[in-house]
Amino acid sequence: MLERRAFLRDTITQVLLAVGAMATVSGRASALSLAYATGTGPRADKTYAIPATDGVVIDKEESVIIARFDDCAYAFSLACPHQNTALRWDASGKRFQCPKHKSRYQPSGVFIEGRATRGMDRFAVRRAADLLSVNLDALYREDKNPTEWAAAVVSLATTEK
């Protein structure tokens, strides 16, 4: 009987020590930035060819949509703002649509209707010759960064001389 009590006491002590050690380690891990904890740092800007005509190009690896419409170029997050489902381009309707809850967006990312409550998230962009340079670390939400969101567009209109 004594051996059984000693075994139980030792087992409970070891479990409590293990739980305490895990709590200490997880407390330290939660204090780390996500980039440090995952081993990734800032992402470099990525360049994309600007589509020659109105339409979209999707980079699934980076979760980026490059869109050209009405002489403007945009870079959007592929994720729907409602529940992060991958958005789709409806070429016949000239709009983006979420296949899960049917939220719809204009080619500029402006919200039309559905369960979402805001426009598509836009990356910061700039023109570099015939390329669109996308800052993958600067993603703007229409409701939280309205000024940056509105500025995240490149005009492709040519000026007459």
Side-chain angles (χ1 to χ4, degrees):
M1 193 60 120
L2 185 58
E3 288 180 23
R4 182 173 174 208
R5 286 185 186 159
F7 172 76
L8 288 174
R9 182 189 67 232
D10 291 345
T11 302
I12 290 171
T13 301
Q14 290 176 355
V15 167
L16 291 174
L17 286 172
V19 169
M22 287 178 8
T24 302
V25 170
S26 69
R28 281 190 216 147
S30 66
L32 299 175
S33 70
L34 180 61
Y36 184 80
T38 60
T40 61
R43 301 187 294 175
D45 285 8
K46 187 156 183 184
T47 56
Y48 296 92
I50 297 172
T53 60
D54 287 354
V56 304
V57 176
I58 297 175
D59 178 355
K60 290 183 181 179
E61 185 176 310
E62 295 292 348
S63 295
V64 174
I65 300 170
I66 302 300
R68 177 185 180 137
F69 193 74
D70 286 344
D71 286 329
C72 290
Y74 308 88
F76 301 108
S77 169
L78 183 59
C80 179
H82 178 235
Q83 287 190 340
N84 295 323
T85 302
L87 293 167
R88 294 190 181 144
W89 173 246
D90 174 9
S92 63
K94 294 186 179 174
R95 65 177 179 241
F96 293 100
Q97 184 163 332
C98 177
K100 188 170 185 179
H101 292 118
K102 310 302 180 218
S103 291
R104 296 187 304 161
Y105 306 88
Q106 295 175 5
S108 62
V110 173
F111 175 68
I112 299 171
E113 66 180 352
R115 287 201 181 165
T117 58
R118 60 184 165 89
M120 295 167 56
D121 297 339
R122 290 181 181 174
F123 287 100
V125 292
R126 65 181 172 79
R127 189 169 186 172
D130 290 334
L131 300 173
L132 189 65
S133 180
V134 179
N135 181 342
L136 299 175
D137 289 324
L139 184 63
Y140 303 122
R141 288 177 47 154
E142 182 182 30
D143 59 343
K144 293 193 176 186
N145 319 96
T147 303
E148 294 88 348
W149 188 88
V153 58
V154 168
S155 174
L156 303 174
T158 57
T159 55
E160 304 265 345
K161 291 186 180 182

